[in-house]
Amino acid sequence: MSGRRFHIIFTLRYLRYGLLLCLVPMLRALIEFDLDSLWLALTQDAAILLFSAAVALALWHATSFGWEAEAVCVEQGIFLRSRHVFTRQSVAALAVERPLYCRLLGASRVTLYFHTNAAPRRYTLYLRKKDAAAVADALLPVQAEGAVFEPTGFERLTFVMLSANILTSSLFALWGLRQLDELLGMDFQQLALDTLREAALFAARFLPMGLAFLVTLGFAVMSFTFLYALLRTAGFQVCRSGGVIVSRGGFLTRVERRVLVSRVSACDVCVSPAARLLRRYPVYLSAGSFRGGDVPVMVYKKGNEQSLARLLPGFRPPDGPLCAPARKSPVQYLWQPGACLALSLAVCGVASYAMPQLLPMLCVPAVLAAASLLVSLEGFFREGIRANGGRTLSVCFTRFFTRHEVCVLTPDIAYTLLENPFSVSAGRCDVLLHLPCGLRCRVRGALQYLARELPFPP
């Protein structure tokens, strides 16, 4: 096991702390607002950056790593030396990420996710490209690969749409446009604003002003989301190599994930509103401390669960409702969205007389509350938990506008039973499941005597 250095990009994780400290002198200069204070702040910032760079280089020089057939060893520390040995048995998954700045410098960011909850739950290494490939092969080797899921055509379009996260994707897309402006010298932001302005003028011709603004804003957010998801899922492919699931994809940031099948703790099928319309359901895997919630591992068509069984043979989809709705309390499911709907309708009724021009904008919360009421009504009939054969659990619960159908494949679960006098009289309780990856599933209205028998035998 020969000692090697991390990539020099490893020092950036320490330089960012120096950049944060540089804000303190600049804040003082802004308060006094004169040239002498500005010169003093710049001098102090230069000293802080030089000191941070010296410390970062010293830490980089004092850090080394090596690997052998089934283990990776990392030694670090200047005055107090520490030695970490990560064996193949302790790793549940790993991710090799190569953002654009890493690819330009020939570096890779390798993140190890461990099976147990002992600290650290994950560990990140900044390595050269060849070293990253060697470390990945040492911990989770991949032999012959056969593609299980490789979206093309309409499947590619549905995969992009279902893997999009509206909020985070929009923020990353805006940041990406700014970086392209600086890198290529092209005004992409002005082009996007001009396109948005044309869309606003087109919508204003046919819609009221408030509703036209909402439509334009929604169009902009969805465009950024779709663009970011398109770049993130470019060339996506999932393979099964023996006991390892391998997924690759990405255009600007290339990501390769390897998940050990025997360490998979849960398989989450998300039935979102977009999935209902497309009749395609995204699947997310978690293993140990790994929680792959940014990109689904695959998307399958409704009624074609056998394609998921090729990737994960232990998967058991829930067959219909997992818990009979008899003696369930509908108030537990419907009071929150019902109250929001009643409040929204009341506000819309007042606005129709006082401010009619704002009525189109105020109708949006009412529509969202009505949709949430329908999802909660579905949860009243479908939510539940059931122990299957083969020591697995089928869990169905709703969160926001999405129904989650989770197949739990690990006995490493913590249970919390939530009861109140009304649920006890009906023989019901809420079950809160804590998985090693941090996922929490709350099932409402489960039968009490079945919930007390849920813990797996040793």
Side-chain angles (χ1 to χ4, degrees):
M1 185 181 291
S2 60
R4 301 175 64 88
R5 303 290 181 199
F6 281 3
H7 195 277
I8 192 64
I9 205 172
F10 169 76
T11 58
L12 294 179
R13 63 186 302 178
Y14 298 103
L15 287 176
R16 61 185 179 183
Y17 299 115
L19 293 176
L20 290 177
L21 291 177
C22 289
L23 296 178
V24 178
M26 294 303 298
L27 181 61
R28 180 181 177 183
L30 288 175
I31 294 175
E32 298 184 2
F33 205 73
D34 55 11
L35 291 178
D36 294 336
S37 299
L38 178 61
W39 176 254
L40 179 61
L42 292 177
T43 305
Q44 292 174 348
D45 287 347
I48 291 174
L49 288 178
L50 288 176
F51 178 76
S52 301
V55 172
L57 288 175
L59 290 173
W60 170 74
H61 187 268
T63 303
S64 62
F65 77 100
W67 70 89
E68 55 185 17
E70 296 186 357
V72 173
C73 176
V74 179
E75 295 184 357
Q76 57 185 2
I78 300 177
F79 302 106
L80 298 176
R81 301 286 294 177
S82 63
R83 189 171 187 266
H84 302 274
V85 178
F86 307 119
T87 61
R88 180 183 298 180
Q89 291 76 15
S90 64
V91 177
L94 64 85
V96 181
E97 302 176 72
R98 304 193 68 218
L100 184 59
Y101 68 92
C102 287
R103 291 163 58 188
L104 293 175
L105 298 175
S108 298
R109 184 172 64 235
V110 181
T111 305
L112 308 179
Y113 300 89
F114 302 106
H115 171 58
T116 61
N117 289 329
R121 299 187 62 191
R122 66 187 67 181
Y123 194 86
T124 303
L125 303 90
Y126 293 87
L127 311 178
R128 297 175 179 84
K129 182 180 178 181
K130 293 183 178 179
D131 293 342
V135 168
D137 291 335
L139 294 178
L140 293 180
V142 174
Q143 303 298 330
E145 301 180 8
V148 176
F149 177 72
E150 188 174 4
T152 58
F154 180 71
E155 294 292 336
R156 163 75 171 144
L157 178 63
T158 57
F159 182 72
V160 171
M161 295 179 66
L162 294 177
S163 62
N165 185 298
I166 293 178
L167 182 59
T168 57
S169 299
S170 301
L171 295 177
F172 277 111
L174 290 174
W175 177 83
L177 288 177
R178 180 173 300 179
Q179 298 301 315
L180 286 176
D181 287 348
E182 299 176 357
L183 183 64
L184 302 178
M186 302 177 63
D187 198 352
F188 285 96
Q189 296 185 25
Q190 187 62 39
L191 180 62
L193 290 176
D194 293 341
T195 305
L196 187 61
R197 190 179 299 110
E198 294 293 332
L201 292 175
F202 178 78
R205 296 176 184 175
F206 305 98
L207 300 173
M209 180 169 49
L211 190 58
F213 172 76
L214 290 178
V215 171
T216 306
L217 181 61
F219 171 77
V221 171
M222 293 302 297
S223 299
F224 285 134
T225 302
F226 188 82
L227 175 63
Y228 177 69
L230 184 66
L231 295 176
R232 186 176 56 178
T233 59
F236 188 82
Q237 184 186 51
V238 177
C239 307
R240 172 71 184 268
S241 175
V244 180
I245 298 175
V246 184
S247 63
R248 300 186 181 95
F251 181 74
L252 295 178
T253 300
R254 295 181 180 175
V255 181
E256 177 182 338
R257 292 189 175 98
R258 301 185 183 186
V259 181
L260 194 61
V261 175
S262 60
R263 299 300 189 187
V264 173
S265 55
C267 179
D268 185 7
V269 179
C270 297
V271 186
S272 61
R276 297 174 191 270
L277 293 176
L278 298 172
R279 299 178 67 84
R280 303 292 194 281
Y281 302 136
V283 181
Y284 299 88
L285 294 182
S286 60
S289 60
F290 170 74
R291 184 178 178 182
D294 54 346
V295 177
V297 70
M298 70 175 299
V299 173
Y300 71 91
K301 187 178 180 181
K302 183 178 181 180
N304 191 23
E305 289 80 4
Q306 293 79 8
S307 59
L308 181 56
R310 292 174 52 199
L311 188 68
L312 199 64
F315 174 72
R316 291 282 301 272
D319 303 324
L322 297 181
C323 188
R327 299 182 67 187
K328 270 189 177 183
S329 175
V331 178
Q332 184 182 15
Y333 294 84
L334 307 179
W335 76 270
Q336 289 182 340
C340 293
L341 179 60
L343 181 61
S344 301
L345 293 178
V347 172
C348 291
V350 174
S352 62
Y353 293 97
M355 296 175 290
Q357 66 275 11
L358 297 180
L359 185 60
M361 298 182 64
L362 296 176
C363 287
V364 175
V367 174
L368 295 178
S372 178
L373 183 64
L374 293 177
V375 172
S376 298
L377 184 61
E378 181 191 44
F380 172 73
F381 290 98
R382 296 189 64 96
E383 275 196 15
I385 184 170
R386 181 183 63 204
N388 302 318
R391 297 176 58 166
T392 63
L393 285 178
S394 291
V395 182
C396 181
F397 66 98
T398 57
R399 182 178 295 169
F400 299 109
F401 297 99
T402 303
R403 185 178 80 243
H404 296 264
E405 298 178 353
V406 182
C407 180
V408 181
L409 305 170
T410 177
D412 300 329
I413 310 174
Y415 299 93
T416 302
L417 303 185
L418 305 176
E419 302 174 348
N420 57 63
F422 302 100
S423 64
V424 171
S425 62
R428 300 277 181 172
C429 67
D430 292 356
V431 181
L432 190 61
L433 282 77
H434 305 264
L435 296 180
C437 62
L439 178 64
R440 299 200 310 170
C441 310
R442 179 165 183 169
V443 180
R444 297 169 289 183
L447 290 172
Q448 191 179 68
Y449 76 94
L450 291 178
R452 295 185 179 278
E453 298 176 356
L454 279 178
F456 291 98

